[in-house]
Amino acid sequence: DQQVKQNSPSLSVQEGRISILNCDYTNSMFDYFLWYKKYPAEGPTFLISISSIKDKNEDGRFTVFLNKSAKHLSLHIVPSQPGDSAVYFCAATLLSNFGNEKLTFGTGTRLTIIP
Amino acid sequence: GAVVSQHPSRVICKSGTSVKIECRSLDFQATTMFWYRQFPKQSLMLMATSNEGSKATYEQGVEKDKFLINHASLTLSTLTVTSAHPEDSSFYICSARVYSGNTIYFGEGSWLTVV
């Protein structure tokens, strides 16, 4: 049972444009969501997160939107840069469950920024 | 800088031998660490939750006698792959939560190749 889904395995975006990566989840108990960027053979790098009490969080070029009713979140990157080319994973957890904050990951979306 | 460090980053071992991977939290204490693995072109899957001073909690389908986890101190968790087989070749990643902030950091990952 895939509780966190990223339905687009790949996405290509022109440099300077907006990249939008989507993520859906099924477990309504999740209270915290994170986006990670990953290069091959490296550990994931934290990008941005959002609590379930919010619907938007912004950090520089990265903005995450959360729609709880739709159980959907998205990551917006604007403007997109060539260095953004990587695999992006969304993840969800029960942050309130101290000591058991294991992450459930989506399957990832490979973003390619075209110069 | 890195807050969670993994070692080694790459290791090659012969089939039937055991290999140990270390995960250290830098400048903070982690009572709980998490071990994930990622097969090529797949998502990160939680293997087990490592608890300081007690037994690890393994996810369904993960052999606890094969993947030994020891969380002997508040800054170190180790994963030992025993009697390794080629199918154990994978990318292993640990994570820990920094309680001063709502962020879960990952180690750099360890690429295991069993030949």
Side-chain angles (χ1 to χ4, degrees), chain B residues 22-40:
Chain B
E22 294 184 346
C23 178
R24 294 183 184 274
S25 58
L26 306 179
D27 299 324
F28 73 97
Q29 295 180 335
T31 55
T32 305
M33 291 184 178
F34 303 91
W35 286 96
Y36 298 82
R37 69 188 295 183
Q38 183 188 27
F39 292 105

Side-chain angles (χ1 to χ4, degrees), chain A residues 1-110:
Chain A
D1 177 33
Q2 189 72 30
Q3 295 189 65
V4 178
K5 299 179 183 179
Q6 292 175 257
N7 292 318
S8 298
S10 63
L11 176 68
S12 294
V13 174
Q14 203 77 31
E15 181 179 0
R17 299 289 186 99
I18 183 171
S19 296
I20 300 176
L21 298 105
N22 294 303
C23 180
D24 297 291
Y25 62 97
T26 58
N27 188 347
S28 58
M29 297 295 290
F30 288 138
D31 60 8
Y32 201 74
F33 305 88
L34 309 94
W35 281 95
Y36 287 87
K37 176 181 179 180
K38 187 179 182 302
Y39 295 112
E42 292 185 15
T45 301
F46 171 76
L47 280 176
I48 193 169
S49 62
I50 189 168
S51 165
S52 60
I53 62 173
K54 294 185 175 181
D55 54 19
K56 177 183 175 181
N57 188 27
E58 189 173 352
D59 183 3
R61 295 187 298 117
F62 302 95
T63 303
V64 56
F65 295 92
L66 175 64
N67 182 334
K68 286 193 297 294
S69 60
K71 296 192 182 69
H72 176 84
L73 64 154
S74 60
L75 173 68
H76 292 210
I77 306 173
V78 56
S80 300
Q81 300 173 354
D84 295 330
S85 295
V87 178
Y88 289 78
F89 289 95
C90 68
T93 185
L94 275 85
L95 206 66
S96 56
N97 194 358
F98 283 93
N100 194 29
E101 313 92 325
K102 57 186 180 182
L103 295 176
T104 301
F105 283 89
T107 48
T109 297
R110 178 175 299 279

Side-chain angles (χ1 to χ4, degrees), chain B residues 12-89:
Chain B
I12 301 173
C13 71
K14 291 185 177 181
S15 185
T17 62
S18 296
V19 61
K20 180 186 289 187
I21 302 169
E22 294 184 346
C23 178
R24 294 183 184 274
S25 58
L26 306 179
D27 299 324
F28 73 97
Q29 295 180 335
T31 55
T32 305
M33 291 184 178
F34 303 91
W35 286 96
Y36 298 82
R37 69 188 295 183
Q38 183 188 27
F39 292 105
K41 299 182 180 179
Q42 294 187 28
S43 184
L44 293 97
M45 299 297 294
L46 179 69
M47 297 176 65
T49 302
S50 172
N51 304 299
E52 189 269 335
S54 64
K55 292 183 179 180
T57 305
Y58 290 84
E59 295 299 301
Q60 190 174 6
V62 178
E63 299 175 61
K64 62 179 181 181
D65 295 329
K66 180 170 186 59
F67 298 99
L68 300 179
I69 291 174
N70 187 345
H71 197 150
S73 78
L74 289 171
T75 59
L76 174 64
S77 174
T78 60
L79 168 68
T80 302
V81 182
T82 62
S83 188
H85 289 281
E87 55 264 32
D88 297 326
S89 298

